[in-house]
Amino acid sequence: VNSTFGEYSYGKHIPDRIKRINNECKSSLIHGYLDSDGCVCTDKLNRNTIEFVSINQGLLEDVQDLCFAL
């Protein structure tokens, strides 16, 4: 896992080859990240939002790429 995704806060990333996996696997990867470093919130207008937290901007952009791909 470390050799594919990196390690520690700043070293993690999602490689391009992982971004090309099937949609079911992408969804599972996003759900796993949501379970560990994310949350589902309801705003003042009663809309659900999903938020991810990380000090690693590149990792957040990688997760965003996966979300857009779905």
Side-chain angles (χ1 to χ4, degrees):
V1 171
N2 289 347
S3 64
T4 301
F5 296 102
E7 51 187 322
Y8 308 114
S9 300
Y10 290 104
K12 293 179 184 164
H13 65 283
I14 300 174
D16 287 337
R17 65 186 169 88
I18 300 297
K19 293 177 186 178
R20 293 188 294 269
I21 58 178
N22 66 56
N23 286 349
E24 184 178 341
C25 291
K26 286 177 191 170
S27 180
S28 294
L29 187 61
I30 292 168
H31 279 103
Y33 189 60
L34 179 63
D35 286 344
S36 63
D37 288 326
C39 66
V40 178
C41 305
T42 304
D43 66 12
K44 293 178 183 179
L45 299 175
N46 206 31
R47 297 177 297 193
N48 290 329
T49 62
I50 298 173
E51 299 177 9
F52 294 98
V53 178
S54 178
I55 60 170
N56 183 331
Q57 184 67 32
L59 180 59
L60 290 173
E61 291 171 358
D62 289 341
V63 171
Q64 183 179 26
D65 289 345
L66 289 176
C67 291
F68 284 146
L70 292 173

